[in-house]
Amino acid sequence: MKEGLHNWKAILGCELKEDGRKGSFLRYGYDRMDFISFDKETLRWVTAKPQAEKVKEKWEDDPGWSQRNKIYPETCIEQLQSYLSYSKEILQRIEHQRKESVNS
């Protein structure tokens, strides 16, 4: 590993497509490059760089770590749907208020 400053980034996300398909991901980057990602189906870590092998071994030696990381992808869609529902409700309320002010 080089000396100096380095960055470690967690990238989490989920998507809800218009056709009903759902997806989520959890991956980590190191120094602006993909490093390691989580396969929620197998509860295994997939390395993007040979340097990530040691991290993968350590994380897979702790089954609780993988189990805990499985929680985010499972709850992400629920959180997204809740957020979208709330946002839609707010937008409808704003639109209703605009219509009332125009008609006044």
Side-chain angles (χ1 to χ4, degrees):
M1 185 179 336
K2 297 179 184 177
E3 292 185 30
L5 294 175
H6 299 277
N7 70 33
W8 176 255
K9 179 170 43 174
I11 306 159
L12 314 125
C14 59
E15 54 190 2
L16 179 59
K17 301 195 181 210
E18 289 183 20
D19 65 4
R21 289 184 296 140
K22 303 171 185 176
S24 59
F25 59 88
L26 167 60
R27 63 180 185 261
Y28 292 90
Y30 180 73
D31 285 347
R32 293 185 268 157
M33 295 187 296
D34 288 341
F35 191 70
I36 192 167
S37 60
F38 185 64
D39 182 335
K40 64 185 179 292
E41 303 303 322
T42 63
L43 300 182
R44 306 281 297 189
W45 293 93
V46 179
T47 60
K49 299 283 179 204
Q51 299 88 334
E53 287 297 327
K54 287 184 180 181
V55 173
K56 175 184 175 171
E57 290 172 15
K58 182 176 180 180
W59 288 356
E60 288 186 352
D61 281 345
D62 179 2
W65 174 245
S66 293
Q67 198 63 38
R68 286 187 300 278
N69 279 286
K70 183 182 178 190
I71 292 170
Y72 174 77
E74 290 178 345
T75 61
C76 180
I77 295 295
E78 293 170 15
Q79 292 171 355
L80 180 59
Q81 287 173 321
S82 176
Y83 175 77
L84 290 172
S85 175
Y86 176 73
S87 297
K88 183 179 178 181
E89 180 182 316
I90 296 296
L91 290 172
Q92 288 173 340
R93 202 175 312 151
I94 291 170
E95 183 63 24
H96 179 72
Q97 290 173 348
R98 279 189 195 152
K99 286 179 181 179
E100 284 184 346
S101 66
V102 168
N103 293 333
S104 300

